[in-house]
Amino acid sequence: DFEGWDICTDYITVLEGMRELAAGSILDDVKDIREDTEDMDWENGTGTITVSLEWSGQEYSWKMDVEHDWIDGKVLGIYNGLLEGERDSERFYATGDGGQGALVFYCTGEWASAFEDATGLELEAYTVKGE
């Protein structure tokens, strides 16, 4: 659900949930997921939230756009951005749920194609580069 419960921790919750989908993968090494709301204008519901984490001994961060209490959908591409260049063939794929959320899978491209063929739902492997 992209309408947040607590914008101060929602990105952490989403990324921890996605990491659980990929349990046993190289993403098990992700540590210290955090949010910085310093650049958010709480009164107007604008600005940015910086999402940061440590992976393989390196720090990464991303700017997420703020629109009141809605989570920026770019969060779904954070791990795929890290996985680019890695040999792991699995990635995160998502499809809208017909409302205000998404269904997320951690799978191979072949599985995603078979799922699309079987269901008619289009899956997309979003990718967002870190700073």
Side-chain angles (χ1 to χ4, degrees):
D1 187 350
F2 288 104
E3 187 170 13
W5 291 92
D6 180 356
I7 203 71
C8 291
T9 59
D10 285 336
Y11 290 100
I12 296 167
T13 301
V14 168
L15 290 172
E16 286 177 346
M18 290 175 69
R19 191 175 60 193
E20 284 298 314
L21 288 174
S25 75
I26 59 178
L27 292 174
D28 286 347
D29 292 335
V30 169
K31 298 184 228 176
D32 195 23
I33 303 170
R34 58 201 179 280
E35 293 182 36
D36 180 348
T37 59
E38 183 177 305
D39 294 327
M40 181 178 176
D41 179 341
W42 291 95
E43 187 172 312
N44 293 308
T46 60
T48 59
I49 293 175
T50 302
V51 176
S52 303
L53 57 80
E54 183 183 326
W55 183 57
S56 296
Q58 188 170 346
E59 287 286 324
Y60 295 89
S61 64
W62 299 263
K63 297 277 187 192
M64 299 287 125
D65 296 324
V66 172
E67 187 174 336
H68 300 283
D69 63 345
W70 289 87
I71 299 168
D72 189 335
K74 291 186 307 230
V75 69
L76 298 179
I78 285 177
Y79 287 140
N80 284 346
L82 293 177
L83 292 170
E84 275 192 347
E86 295 294 325
R87 291 183 184 201
D88 240 5
S89 64
E90 293 176 307
R91 298 289 184 265
F92 288 94
Y93 290 83
T95 187
D97 69 356
Q100 59 191 34
L103 303 172
V104 180
F105 303 91
Y106 183 68
C107 58
T108 63
E110 294 80 20
W111 187 94
S113 292
F115 179 86
E116 288 177 330
D117 292 344
T119 65
L121 295 173
E122 184 177 327
L123 295 179
E124 186 167 344
Y126 300 99
T127 302
V128 177
K129 301 279 188 187
E131 300 175 359

